[in-house]
Amino acid sequence: MALKRNIFVARTAHDLKHVNTVHVPVFGIVKLYLSAGGKNSKSYLLPEAPEQKQASSAADTFCFAPEAEKAKIKYELDDVCGVITKAKLELFHRANKTAIWKRDLKDAELGHGEHEIEWDGKIDKGADFPESYITVEHSPYKLRLTIEGEADAHNYSPAAWTYLHVLVHSIELEKGVKDALSRTLDKDLLDTWSIPAEGKTQKVKLISNLFSVGGDTTNATSYTAYRDLWKNGTEEGPNLPIFAKLLVKSSGGEKKDVPKAIGRVRVLWDWRDSPEDLSMQYPHAKEFLEPALDYDKNVTKPKGDNCHKDRGGKRGDDTKPVFPARAGDPDKAALTAGTFPFKVEACATRKWSAYSETWRTGKLMGKTGVSFQPSHMAGDAYLVDAYFAHNRKPDGKDDLDTEDNNQLQHAVKKSTGIWQIWREVHISLYHKKHASLPTLSIPTVATTLAKAYVELVDKSGAIQSPMAGYDGKIRVHLGALSAERQASVKAGDQGTITKGGLLYKSYADFKSAIKTLKAFNNAQLASWLTANNVETAGKYKVFLEAIADVVVIKTCNEYFTASDGIKVFHLEPYWEAEGGQKSSTGGFASTSFANGTQKKAGYIHGVLTPPPSIKEIASHEIGHTLFLPHAPGTASGPAAVHDQVAHWNNCMMSYEFDKEMKFCGLCLLRMRGWDHRVLNSNRNSNRK
């Protein structure tokens, strides 16, 4: 190749010899790398270029946090002849041969020697980069430097390149917002929970003021009513919005909150079953619960002892996902109220898990999330894991959608503590007939229901005592009875002359009143008493009980309030008569309250003198409101919906008042929400 150049040589004395050497002008790139936080990327040159010396600690794993820190683009040019005419920096992301950012070097940036350009990762705005910064989404990146020079000069190293990453340092989980929820129940629930830290437990208390209205203690109502309360279309359970914020890794390895540097990436959401601790249960309940929980425990995915789909729960049911699919909303400055903002889709292989996508821009930029939808079954417990995979394919997908847990080990992971599901039932009214009556300790009663993961909460505000206007109310209802029945009632203010529901005349005074009322002689009186089944003091007691069952119930009904929950009417005794007779009813949950509904129940508390104890009476009657029938044995209840008498005869729903009474295992599962129709009173038949 012929080179034509103008050469200027030095002239010297004629008698001296000089040598003028002519060189072909050469130029090239010596190196190109990025530097930040004491870390450097590795420089690459073409094979024909001279071997280069790498910067200290040079590595292909170099990363930095765009916007949050400034890296230095460092390069060295060999151009002693000053023949470089053009130089350009270009940035590429994987699987894309089109540069996403270009910068022409000018003036002094083209000179011979080492150069530095400060860069915070900002690039040209585009559809994939709406915030004008490089992101995790398209990482890794290739930064390339190319140079051109004069036509007759030799470019021995025309290109150099280096690699850089934008990496996720960690994931932080936070509670979502109400705008992500559409159902009032879920919005109200949002104020009651926080995300449990690892090693901690968060109770998720589902308000479930659902009560028996009669004729429903042995059918499916206790199961279906609770299920339907927390059902929305085909989905079952509460919606707990969990958002994940992805933090970027700086060059020094620190976490940086840089939402603009995330882009559109996916997070895998996974859940685990937290084994139930039965140590709080008494031995006989534990013996019943253990086989019921051990149902396909090692077969379902994930494994565990949460309520199985065959008993009404979600474990083992891919059609009722814990992370339901959501269409999501476009990235924008404001959220659409009632719409879950992030796209969520079920995994194809790891069917119990789901992927969600981050927002590239807008209000939730750099975040993603799921609607965590555990089963409504009290006692179920979950741990939630969020994974981000560093190893991603060019299309952004990863290898986490697998049943092999080992494949998840390389991913960035954030786990929660335990989410433990509870039911919450309210005492919404507490009336005491007289202020001197002992006070019912609701926290004490709550300890018995807690064995079923039911939290009894006092929402009554304050004890109402006395029951204002009681005499006027009960006299109205007495007035609807026959004159003969009215004749049994003691004159005076029924609101003050007794602490019980009603004060009657003695049997002797009643007979005298009837004799006078009917103008009977002794023979006629005796005949009438026999005909009306009140010829003895014992039968008179039954007669009085029947009257109270009408008028006391109707009177207490007038004190019902609008709030959902259980209304407690504390009368001691239920009724009494002069001469010493009184009701032996310790209490009862009546479905005859006219103002009672499936959301409002009432019970009368009649005796606080053990046996039975205050706790047992209240627990027994509240058990009735929660659809529990009497136990077999002394209470003559149905055997099929209780633990076998041979195993536990002292169920709280029995009449074994001379023993310590506790809810049997089957009662505990029913209150938790399980479908008792598929459970067997023979505990050993519940294992699979």
Side-chain angles (χ1 to χ4, degrees):
M1 174 178 167
L3 293 177
K4 293 182 178 182
R5 298 196 59 84
N6 294 320
I7 300 174
F8 299 90
V9 298
R11 294 183 63 188
T12 61
H14 69 91
D15 57 346
L16 295 177
K17 293 182 179 179
H18 290 270
V19 177
N20 287 278
T21 304
V22 178
H23 293 278
V24 175
V26 295
F27 64 98
I29 303 172
V30 178
K31 57 186 173 183
L32 169 70
Y33 64 99
L34 286 149
S35 180
K39 303 293 177 63
N40 301 300
S41 66
K42 194 172 182 180
S43 176
Y44 287 90
L45 301 175
L46 293 171
E48 59 268 26
E51 185 178 350
Q52 63 177 319
K53 183 179 180 181
Q54 296 287 348
S56 62
S57 70
D60 287 330
T61 55
F62 174 83
C63 67
F64 79 109
E67 189 187 40
E69 62 178 329
K70 294 182 178 179
K72 290 182 178 179
I73 301 173
K74 294 187 175 184
Y75 62 97
E76 183 178 351
L77 301 177
D78 177 15
D79 187 22
V80 293
C81 296
V83 294
I84 295 177
T85 58
K86 187 177 181 181
K88 180 169 59 178
L89 285 168
E90 295 175 289
L91 187 69
F92 304 85
H93 67 73
R94 60 179 179 171
N96 194 330
K97 296 182 179 180
T98 302
I100 59 172
W101 176 70
K102 299 178 182 179
R103 186 182 187 283
D104 291 324
L105 303 183
K106 298 178 180 180
D107 303 327
E109 294 174 340
L110 300 175
H112 175 77
E114 295 183 347
H115 299 267
E116 292 183 359
I117 298 175
E118 207 168 54
W119 182 56
D120 67 352
K122 193 163 189 176
I123 60 172
D124 300 325
K125 186 175 183 177
D128 288 345
F129 300 93
E131 295 296 326
S132 303
Y133 279 93
I134 58 173
T135 61
V136 172
E137 177 183 358
H138 295 294
S139 183
Y141 298 87
K142 178 181 179 180
L143 180 65
R144 185 176 72 185
L145 173 62
T146 56
I147 60 173
E148 298 177 17
E150 294 181 8
D152 52 2
H154 177 48
N155 188 351
Y156 70 86
S157 180
W161 63 94
T162 189
Y163 297 102
L164 64 144
H165 302 261
V166 182
L167 301 177
V168 170
H169 175 280
S170 55
I171 302 170
E172 288 185 355
L173 301 179
E174 60 189 45
K175 182 161 66 172
V177 296
K178 286 191 178 181
D179 278 346
L181 300 167
S182 60
R183 191 169 53 173
T184 301
L185 274 174
D186 296 319
K187 292 178 182 179
D188 293 342
L189 182 63
L190 187 70
D191 296 326
T192 68
W193 60 267
S194 59
I195 295 177
E198 290 187 75
K200 303 294 183 181
T201 298
Q202 170 66 57
K203 290 182 180 180
V204 180
K205 294 181 278 190
L206 307 183
I207 295 176
S208 51
N209 290 309
L210 296 169
F211 309 109
S212 170
V213 294
D216 51 12
T217 59
T218 58
N219 62 22
T221 306
S222 62
Y223 161 67
T224 58
Y226 181 41
R227 177 200 64 192
D228 293 346
L229 176 64
W230 289 94
K231 187 175 182 179
N232 187 17
T234 60
E235 296 182 1
E236 293 181 13
N239 287 289
L240 312 177
I242 304 177
F243 288 2
K245 177 167 66 175
L246 275 60
L247 301 174
V248 177
K249 185 177 181 180
S250 74
S251 57
E254 301 87 5
K255 63 181 179 182
K256 297 291 182 180
D257 187 4
V258 194
K260 293 178 181 178
I262 300 300
R264 181 98 63 218
V265 295
R266 303 198 309 171
V267 168
L268 177 82
W269 296 87
D270 199 50
W271 67 273
R272 291 170 284 145
D273 186 320
S274 178
E276 183 164 343
D277 180 5
L278 294 175
S279 62
M280 73 170 181
Q281 306 291 352
Y282 70 96
H284 290 81
K286 186 187 298 185
E287 290 166 6
F288 190 96
L289 294 172
E290 191 277 328
L293 295 169
D294 187 11
Y295 186 88
D296 276 350
K297 187 159 60 174
N298 296 314
V299 176
T300 55
K301 298 174 183 178
K303 300 176 181 179
D305 58 12
N306 282 348
C307 184
H308 191 272
K309 65 177 182 178
D310 291 350
R311 276 85 183 268
K314 280 193 169 184
R315 181 169 61 87
D317 192 346
D318 294 333
T319 68
K320 297 176 182 176
V322 170
F323 306 114
R326 295 288 184 262
D329 220 12
D331 307 4
K332 53 187 180 180
L335 302 185
T336 303
T339 299
F340 193 76
F342 304 113
K343 180 180 179 181
V344 181
E345 57 184 6
C347 290
T349 302
R350 198 177 182 89
K351 296 183 182 296
W352 62 93
S353 301
Y355 281 108
S356 69
E357 290 185 352
T358 54
W359 276 20
R360 284 176 174 154
T361 188
K363 184 177 180 66
L364 298 176
M365 177 171 55
K367 294 182 180 181
T368 186
V370 288
S371 181
F372 173 42
Q373 195 178 86
S375 163
H376 61 283
M377 293 298 180
D380 280 6
Y382 300 77
L383 298 103
V384 174
D385 302 311
Y387 292 92
F388 175 78
H390 281 310
N391 302 333
R392 288 170 292 125
K393 302 170 186 176
D395 62 0
K397 295 183 179 179
D398 53 56
D399 58 357
L400 301 183
D401 187 8
T402 172
E403 292 188 1
D404 183 2
N405 290 334
N406 292 325
Q407 293 295 319
L408 278 61
Q409 300 305 310
H410 70 82
V412 177
K413 178 183 178 183
K414 180 62 178 179
S415 300
T416 70
I418 298 172
W419 306 78
Q420 191 177 70
I421 310 303
W422 283 66
R423 294 182 65 184
E424 182 177 312
V425 175
H426 297 162
I427 298 293
S428 56
L429 177 70
Y430 180 17
H431 261 303
K432 284 205 301 185
K433 179 74 181 305
H434 196 277
S436 66
L437 291 174
T439 298
L440 171 67
S441 173
I442 294 173
T444 300
V445 178
T447 61
T448 65
L449 299 178
K451 305 298 184 183
Y453 299 93
V454 176
E455 185 157 313
L456 186 66
V457 180
D458 185 359
K459 294 282 187 177
S460 63
I463 299 172
Q464 304 294 310
S465 183
M467 297 175 74
Y470 188 86
D471 183 67
K473 296 179 190 298
I474 201 166
R475 291 292 177 184
V476 169
H477 299 301
L478 286 167
L481 302 180
S482 66
E484 293 84 356
R485 288 179 177 268
Q486 292 183 50
S488 66
V489 180
K490 181 71 176 177
D493 185 346
Q494 289 288 336
T496 58
I497 62 175
T498 177
K499 297 177 184 179
L502 195 58
L503 179 63
Y504 294 106
K505 296 172 182 175
S506 67
Y507 185 47
D509 288 347
F510 169 70
K511 289 188 290 184
S512 296
I514 292 294
K515 187 175 183 179
T516 301
L517 175 68
K518 307 290 282 186
F520 284 156
N521 57 34
N522 289 339
Q524 290 172 318
L525 174 64
S527 177
W528 184 93
L529 292 173
T530 301
N532 287 275
N533 207 27
V534 283
E535 69 272 22
T536 66
K539 290 184 177 183
Y540 180 56
K541 182 178 180 181
V542 175
F543 177 77
L544 300 183
E545 186 87 8
I547 294 172
D549 285 347
V550 174
V551 298
V552 174
I553 292 297
K554 287 184 176 181
T555 302
C556 289
N557 177 71
E558 295 191 43
Y559 292 91
F560 262 60
T561 54
S563 54
D564 295 345
I566 300 170
K567 323 295 180 181
V568 180
F569 302 101
H570 188 169
L571 318 170
E572 188 178 350
Y574 178 39
W575 60 262
E576 61 183 335
E578 291 182 319
Q581 279 190 317
K582 63 181 179 178
S583 174
S584 57
T585 297
F588 69 96
S590 176
T591 57
S592 298
F593 290 110
N595 287 326
T597 67
Q598 197 173 66
K599 293 186 176 182
K600 300 173 190 175
Y603 91 87
I604 290 176
H605 203 102
V607 176
L608 290 178
T609 304
S613 70
I614 174 175
K615 179 173 72 173
E616 289 170 334
I617 290 175
S619 299
H620 180 101
E621 302 308 334
I622 290 174
H624 280 315
T625 70
L626 296 177
F627 301 93
L628 300 182
H630 279 126
T634 53
S636 303
V641 290
H642 286 279
D643 189 1
Q644 292 178 316
V645 171
H647 181 245
W648 182 244
N649 192 38
N650 304 355
C651 180
M652 190 69 73
M653 304 311 295
S654 72
Y655 285 159
E656 300 293 334
F657 298 138
D658 59 335
K659 304 170 185 175
E660 184 178 13
M661 296 159 62
K662 297 178 180 179
F663 288 112
C664 71
L666 189 46
C667 281
L668 294 176
L669 291 176
R670 290 193 66 185
M671 286 191 287
R672 287 167 68 155
W674 287 40
D675 186 353
H676 72 86
R677 295 172 300 173
V678 293
L679 293 170
N680 199 303
S681 60
N682 181 347
R683 64 191 184 283
N684 294 318
S685 297
N686 293 320
R687 191 192 308 270
K688 181 180 176 184

